[in-house]
Amino acid sequence: SPPPEPCGGAEPCKYVDPQPTDPPCFPSSATVQRADGETAPLSSLSAGDSILAAAADGTLGFDVVSSFSLADPSAKAAFLSLATATATVTLTPTHKLPAGPAKALKQASEVAVGETVWLASPAAGTLVQAPVLKITKVVADGLHSPLTMHGGWPVVDGVATSYNSPAVVARNKYLVPLVESVCPTLGRLVVAAVNPKPMHYIDGEGVEPISLLEVAAAVAVTAAATLGVRKITARK
């Protein structure tokens, strides 16, 4: 990998041009804390694992990794490393994290040196602010994004992060558990219909972009199959 490139002073990075469709991810080497207290790389996670996460008010707890989490260990991508005095988080330019006193969610590319991010303090049971001292561009292996089941901000490399905007996270807090329990396969097809890039999920499944018409056909087939099962059950 090429050596890290220093970035910006008090201004956000100018060399990146994040696109809305870029995956908000971390490299395989990024770490989280499991419920048993062990530190684990993102590449070792599975759906159903509990990891350290933060609520929007800064309190710490554990949230469950959903099956909609992304994992593509074969990818190689450009990341930004945001370093504080005690922690460094490496993430793609479009990945969001709470920044500033109000914990406003910003893309990594929008964070400037001197701005504060939020670090986990397990001893205090809450997040604490720390200024970003240095931002560098790095190239690393893997693209991973743990999507939490109940809306918690995943704490990655000791820093609170968010896989999406506040509105999406608030919606998914209720939608993801429902879809997981009813039909996660159809949920992935819907994601494929609105995302123009292939999605690589934590269980190893890759889903290519499809049309809404194909999703509708899949829904029809699933509904017909479910109805058929119910009729057979009713006859018994």
Side-chain angles (χ1 to χ4, degrees), residues 5 21 41 49-50 63 68 82 95 109 112 116 139 170 180 182 224:
E5 299 176 14
T21 56
D49 288 346
S50 290
D63 207 336
F68 290 96
L82 280 57
H95 206 296
S109 62
T116 56
V139 175
E180 289 252 14
V182 176

Side-chain angles (χ1 to χ4, degrees), residues 123-142:
T126 189
L127 298 175
V128 296
Q129 294 186 77
V132 174
L133 303 179
K134 186 179 181 182
I135 302 175
T136 54
K137 178 184 178 182
V138 299
V139 175
D141 294 325

Side-chain angles (χ1 to χ4, degrees), residues 15-54:
Y15 59 80
V16 291
D17 182 23
Q19 301 298 312
T21 56
D22 287 345
C25 290
F26 306 93
S28 298
S29 58
T31 61
V32 293
Q33 181 183 324
R34 296 182 185 271
D36 61 6
E38 293 295 318
T39 298
L42 290 183
S43 57
S44 71
L45 290 183
S46 299
D49 288 346
S50 290
I51 61 172
L52 185 65

Side-chain angles (χ1 to χ4, degrees), residues 46-48 64-71 144-149 163 172 175-192 199-203 205 207:
S46 299
V64 179
V65 176
S66 85
S67 65
F68 290 96
S69 300
L70 303 180
H144 301 260
S145 183
L147 190 154
T148 51
M149 186 84 78
Y163 66 86
N172 285 355
L175 185 60
V176 169
L178 176 63
V179 175
E180 289 252 14
S181 64
V182 176
C183 192
T185 299
L186 282 181
R188 290 185 178 185
L189 292 179
V190 172
V191 173
M199 306 295 284
H200 300 270
Y201 289 100
I202 196 167
D203 59 4
E205 181 183 21
V207 180

